[in-house]
């Protein structure tokens, strides 16, 4: 799912630590896929872990505000990995 060639441009402006984190997540994702973990279950677990981590770091209110922006970002294609930008 998170093939390097597809996601590299999404993170060109981000630092090396985020690149490394994405590589770790991609490897974990591939391993879970090989083990037969359903992609939907893996995605839900990843979202839960990410949101729980952010809430622990920043608190409920700021993360709730952050999450309010997600529907618009999804509709604009910001999370569509295979999109072609013209």
């Amino acid at each position: 799912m998170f093939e390097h060639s597809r996601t590299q441009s999404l993170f060109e402006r981000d630092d090396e630590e985020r690149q490394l984190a994405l590589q770790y997540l991609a490897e974990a994702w591939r391993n879970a896929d090989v083990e037969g973990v359903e992609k939907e279950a893996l995605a839900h677990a990843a979202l839960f872990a990410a949101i729980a981590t952010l809430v622990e770091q920043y608190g409920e209110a700021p993360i709730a505000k952050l999450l309010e922006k997600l529907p618009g970002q999804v509709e604009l294609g910001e999370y569509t990995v295979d999109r072609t930008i013209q």
Side-chain angles (χ1 to χ4, degrees):
M1 170 168 205
F2 301 113
E3 296 167 19
H4 183 68
S5 62
R6 289 183 178 174
T7 57
Q8 185 174 5
S9 63
L10 295 175
F11 291 92
E12 285 176 353
R13 295 171 295 202
D14 287 335
D15 60 17
E16 290 180 19
E17 189 171 0
R18 289 186 184 190
Q19 284 284 343
L20 182 59
L22 182 60
Q23 290 173 6
Y24 279 118
L25 289 172
E27 182 66 22
W29 196 280
R30 283 189 292 274
N31 289 339
D33 192 38
V34 167
E35 294 291 325
V37 176
E38 291 183 21
K39 289 180 181 181
E40 185 175 333
L42 184 57
H44 283 141
L47 281 171
F48 177 84
I51 293 169
T53 299
L54 290 171
V55 166
E56 182 178 20
Q57 181 72 29
Y58 300 105
E60 288 88 358
I63 300 310
K65 284 189 177 273
L66 174 72
L67 294 175
E68 288 175 359
K69 299 175 185 178
L70 282 178
Q73 292 171 325
V74 170
E75 290 172 354
L76 289 173
E78 292 186 26
Y79 294 93
T80 304
V81 177
D82 294 331
R83 73 181 173 150
T84 303
I85 300 174
Q86 296 183 6

